[in-house]
Amino acid sequence: MVQKSEKIWFDGKLVPWGEANVHVLTHTLHYGAGVFEGIRAYECADGTSAVFRLQEHIVRLHDSAHILNMTIPFDVDELVDACVETLKANKLKAGYLRPLVFIGDGVMGVHPGKNPIRVAIATWPWGAYLGEEALDKGIRVKTSTFARHHVNVMMTKAKVCGNYVNSVLAKTEAVADGYDEALMLDTMGFVSEASGENIFIVRDDQIKTTPLTSVLPGITRDSIITLARELGYEVVEQIFTRDELYIADEAFFSGTAAEITPIREVDRRVIGEGHAGPVAKLLQREFFKVVKGENQDYAHWLHPYTV
């Protein structure tokens, strides 16, 4: 269950959590045309707080809206400030942020007409998305029977609400079959991503990740590529097959919620040693140093605030 906070930022005002409501004829509720972001704030090693790559997330939110031909009634700076305002209002030194842009009620039918564009930002405490143990032991993954979207079926560069029906189907299937997460292939049969995470594999000290074709351009994905190259690893953005994943030395997912989560098994095949490998562990350590303010080379990725 989501742990309730006191306030939600809604159309420019902070309102009590229980009053952040919409009408049942809200257009996005029926047709899925909305966009959102997932963002994390961390308590830093020195006791201060910071949001990780907040500006980039809000820029991506605007990009997603633009792809859907939606105009957000608040600019990037206003939404950055609103995110921080919401964290402070809820006295959260660390937590998860969910900005959501959606089409309100008015006309019904596929075309939204002049229905209002509404914006909400919720924040709440949230630990490891796939479980604390998963960060060390890794998770079990099943290749989904559902393919990831084709680039001309859904807009894969936008974080669109309706896109995630595909993810819900895949994740529900995987969990029902006893797995932790679903691996999704693209429409050509190559590895795409998970239900809500990008994927990396390691083989002979080379790190490979799916190129930005059918996948969402993950901000954590970009951070890992940057960190790995700084650490001296060769990182290749290249398509790869499911059996290439099976024989990888290591594999792991990345995402705002998942952070860096190792994969210990795919389709009942053990990956590497069956737990977090040395590359994943090193990247985890370096990533958490960054988000906790212990690596000043990446201080520009942090948006500090005080509760």
Side-chain angles (χ1 to χ4, degrees):
M1 296 289 292
V2 171
Q3 184 176 334
K4 291 183 181 180
S5 299
E6 292 183 20
K7 302 285 186 179
I8 289 177
W9 190 94
F10 203 176
D11 290 338
K13 298 178 181 179
L14 288 166
V15 301
W17 178 286
E19 295 178 17
N21 301 317
V22 298
H23 195 275
V24 294
L25 294 185
T26 294
H27 195 275
T28 299
L29 180 62
H30 292 257
Y31 300 106
V35 298
F36 69 97
E37 278 295 319
I39 311 170
R40 273 195 190 264
Y42 290 88
E43 185 171 359
C44 297
D46 63 1
T48 63
S49 296
V51 188
F52 183 61
R53 301 192 71 169
L54 176 57
Q55 184 88 9
E56 292 95 322
H57 276 285
I58 300 302
V59 167
R60 189 173 68 176
L61 183 73
H62 270 266
D63 288 345
S64 294
H66 181 69
I67 289 169
L68 287 196
N69 207 23
M70 297 169 64
T71 300
I72 300 177
F74 302 93
D75 64 26
V76 170
D77 289 341
E78 287 174 316
L79 291 182
V80 165
D81 290 343
C83 285
V84 173
E85 181 185 1
T86 310
L87 285 165
K88 289 182 174 181
N90 289 308
K91 302 178 179 62
L92 289 174
K93 299 196 73 174
Y96 185 83
L97 299 95
R98 171 54 56 85
L100 171 67
V101 180
F102 62 98
I103 303 170
D105 59 294
V107 303
M108 286 299 286
V110 173
H111 193 282
K114 295 183 179 180
N115 289 16
I117 305 300
R118 309 194 65 187
V119 185
I121 302 170
T123 64
W124 61 87
W126 207 7
Y129 176 60
L130 295 167
E132 295 291 344
E133 286 189 351
L135 295 176
D136 179 51
K137 293 183 178 180
I139 60 173
R140 298 179 67 245
V141 176
K142 169 188 168 62
T143 300
S144 179
T145 62
F146 299 96
R148 207 55 163 151
H149 297 298
H150 185 279
V151 293
N152 282 323
V153 171
M154 296 294 279
M155 300 290 95
T156 60
K157 298 300 171 290
K159 199 169 176 69
V160 177
C161 299
N163 284 10
Y164 282 78
V165 174
N166 183 233
S167 296
V168 170
L169 289 169
K171 178 89 173 195
T172 303
E173 176 188 58
V175 172
D177 288 343
Y179 292 83
D180 302 301
E181 184 55 283
L183 172 72
M184 305 188 75
L185 309 180
D186 64 22
T187 53
M188 296 292 290
F190 294 98
V191 172
S192 180
E193 55 187 346
S195 67
E197 304 90 19
N198 295 122
I199 187 170
F200 291 80
I201 62 173
V202 182
R203 174 92 174 183
D204 298 328
D205 288 329
Q206 182 192 68
I207 301 173
K208 187 179 289 189
T209 190
T210 309
L212 296 177
T213 49
S214 63
V215 306
L216 185 75
I219 290 169
T220 306
R221 172 188 179 276
D222 175 76
S223 305
I224 290 168
I225 291 172
T226 301
L227 289 172
R229 285 175 174 160
E230 184 186 77
L231 292 167
Y233 289 101
E234 178 188 10
V235 182
V236 179
E237 297 178 73
Q238 183 183 94
I239 59 173
F240 58 92
T241 57
R242 182 168 38 155
D243 49 3
E244 190 172 353
L245 168 58
Y246 291 160
I247 60 173
D249 298 327
E250 298 181 44
F252 55 89
F253 289 133
S254 72
T256 295
E259 296 164 318
I260 300 173
T261 300
I263 301 167
R264 73 171 188 265
E265 182 183 317
V266 178
D267 299 337
R268 302 189 185 279
R269 294 162 176 84
V270 173
I271 305 301
E273 297 298 320
H275 53 73
V279 176
K281 286 182 176 179
L282 176 60
L283 288 171
Q284 281 178 338
R285 285 196 300 271
E286 295 305 313
F287 177 77
F288 284 117
K289 283 181 184 178
V290 170
V291 300
K292 291 182 179 295
E294 297 177 306
N295 184 339
Q296 289 305 304
D297 290 342
Y298 292 97
H300 61 284
W301 279 355
L302 302 180
H303 190 103
Y305 69 97
T306 303
V307 174

